[in-house]
Amino acid sequence: VTSRILWVLLRQYLGCGLRCLRLRGLLLSARGGTFLSESWLKALSTKCPRLSKLYLLHADLRSLPSCQILPPSLQVLELRGCELPRGFFNQTLPTSSASLQERAEPTSSVGSQLKGRNQKGKGAGSPSGIGIERLVLNNVPSFTDQHLQGLTSWERLCRLELRDTFRVTANGLRSCAAKDGVCGVEGLSRLKFLEIGITGRQGYQLHMASLGLGAGWLGLEELSLGGKEVGPGLLCASRLRDLKRLRLWDCTLSELQIARSCRMLRGLRQLEFVDVRFQPRQNPPAEEGEGGEEEEQDREEAEGADGSSDENKTADMNDPIPGLRRTLAVLLPSCTLVFTNCSVQNNED
């Protein structure tokens, strides 16, 4: 689809009933050329005022000034294989005469209360503010810590999904985490769901961005970890005191590793495994020293949770998932377990 066809579609076919739009750009096309223009996006906002979901695939957005030219009615934005300019997610509120008038208001208690109410109303329903609630970034190589920092100005963002965003670092994630500041909660304070996953592009430097969760994240209730981010993320999950749901996908885990990580997640209500390859339980020789004693203690806790029946232990040798269920039932009695397309990895050794 070229920009010319987009104009034809907008003028003759698209209207106020459009709710969801999926577009594939020319980023990987030999034809090239401009795909999304600022004038077309403005016309889209006027012609389709109910558009709430926009999915862009292989779109070059570097010619656009910022995401503020996107339709203000958007609630979901998904970018897959796209290119972004610097500062694309920064939100710049215009300095109007109304804002200057607010600065000139009297400093009395009544005036301060009215000013606070006006600011709340402006943040909740201002047409200049970004109303996107869910942002999905899938294989966007140009997404960096700078873009992540720009998302802190989004007042309604509650779901953020980062998949194969290789340039996001632990420091960048840590600086955007919701935390108590001088003026209240700073960072991505409204975020309830966060997904971090690295599964492709072998050879790229792995920053282990999920280590940035080690500083904690106020209000974060759901965490999804995938691929190479599962191991580092599990080490920091215990620092998320508001965490209620944890999802692990496309990774290899052992029962002992899961038991160690979930032992401190007493407030967890749902634990989901998707496309997880479970390693069979191994009983290596006991090591001398404190490290060996600690590993032996963790192993005994996991085996003790399975029950003392020899029949159960024999059955679990071929399938560790039943044993894992019993282990987690003891460690997390109030947690619901979900297994989807999981398998057991058989070691020929």
Side-chain angles (χ1 to χ4, degrees), residues 208-273:
M208 293 186 291
S210 55
L211 288 176
L213 300 173
W217 197 304
L218 297 178
L220 189 63
E221 299 180 355
E222 300 183 49
L223 177 63
S224 178
L225 300 171
K228 299 181 178 66
E229 295 289 355
V230 173
L234 284 177
L235 296 176
C236 306
S238 60
R239 303 293 183 90
L240 307 176
R241 62 187 186 187
D242 298 320
L243 188 64
K244 295 182 176 59
R245 286 173 288 275
L246 178 62
R247 182 173 180 264
L248 308 176
W249 50 277
D250 196 5
C251 60
T252 301
L253 293 172
S254 64
E255 183 176 345
L256 183 60
Q257 182 181 4
I258 298 173
R260 282 181 174 180
S261 303
C262 297
R263 189 168 51 182
M264 304 300 294
L265 301 177
R266 298 296 181 179
L268 209 60
R269 293 295 175 262
Q270 180 176 332
L271 179 58
E272 183 178 3
F273 300 91

Side-chain angles (χ1 to χ4, degrees), residues 17 29 52 98 133-134 166 172 198-199 202 229 281 318 320 334:
S29 175
S52 60
E133 300 176 359
R134 179 189 177 192
F166 299 92
I198 299 292
T199 57
Q202 300 294 331
E229 295 289 355
R281 183 184 304 172
N318 298 326
S334 302

Side-chain angles (χ1 to χ4, degrees), residues 74-301:
L74 285 184
Q75 298 178 0
V76 178
L77 175 62
E78 180 173 348
L79 305 178
R80 184 174 182 179
C82 299
E83 287 292 341
L84 304 174
R86 290 186 179 182
F88 182 73
F89 295 113
N90 294 340
Q91 179 177 199
T92 304
L93 297 178
T95 304
S96 60
S97 58
S99 60
L100 296 177
Q101 183 178 0
E102 288 179 359
R103 296 180 183 178
E105 286 182 354
T107 56
S108 62
S109 58
V110 178
S112 301
Q113 293 177 2
L114 292 176
K115 181 178 179 180
R117 293 177 184 177
N118 293 335
Q119 288 179 349
K120 291 181 180 179
K122 180 179 179 181
S126 175
S128 60
I130 298 176
I132 296 175
E133 300 176 359
R134 179 189 177 192
L135 177 63
V136 181
L137 296 162
N138 192 342
N139 191 20
V140 181
S142 55
F143 186 82
T144 63
D145 293 341
Q146 180 182 358
H147 294 96
L148 187 62
Q149 186 66 35
L151 297 178
T152 57
S153 62
W154 293 21
E155 298 179 352
R156 299 186 184 180
L157 186 64
C158 59
R159 292 179 63 92
L160 178 60
E161 303 175 23
L162 304 176
R163 305 168 190 165
D164 289 340
T165 51
F166 299 92
R167 296 187 180 182
V168 176
T169 65
N171 290 332
L173 193 67
R174 188 180 299 111
S175 63
C176 297
K179 50 187 174 296
D180 291 327
V182 179
C183 301
V185 182
E186 300 176 349
L188 295 171
S189 58
R190 296 185 181 271
L191 204 66
K192 300 296 181 183
F193 177 92
L194 176 63
E195 177 172 297
I196 309 175
I198 299 292
T199 57
R201 295 205 177 187
Q202 300 294 331
Y204 271 66
Q205 181 181 2
L206 182 60
H207 294 289
M208 293 186 291
S210 55
L211 288 176
L213 300 173
W217 197 304
L218 297 178
L220 189 63
E221 299 180 355
E222 300 183 49
L223 177 63
S224 178
L225 300 171
K228 299 181 178 66
E229 295 289 355
V230 173
L234 284 177
L235 296 176
C236 306
S238 60
R239 303 293 183 90
L240 307 176
R241 62 187 186 187
D242 298 320
L243 188 64
K244 295 182 176 59
R245 286 173 288 275
L246 178 62
R247 182 173 180 264
L248 308 176
W249 50 277
D250 196 5
C251 60
T252 301
L253 293 172
S254 64
E255 183 176 345
L256 183 60
Q257 182 181 4
I258 298 173
R260 282 181 174 180
S261 303
C262 297
R263 189 168 51 182
M264 304 300 294
L265 301 177
R266 298 296 181 179
L268 209 60
R269 293 295 175 262
Q270 180 176 332
L271 179 58
E272 183 178 3
F273 300 91
V274 180
D275 295 325
V276 175
R277 299 169 294 276
F278 292 100
Q279 294 178 344
R281 183 184 304 172
Q282 299 178 356
N283 295 320
E287 300 179 0
E288 297 181 359
E290 296 180 357
E293 294 178 358
E294 183 179 356
E295 293 182 359
E296 185 66 24
Q297 181 180 0
D298 294 336
R299 193 177 300 107
E300 290 178 356
E301 291 181 0

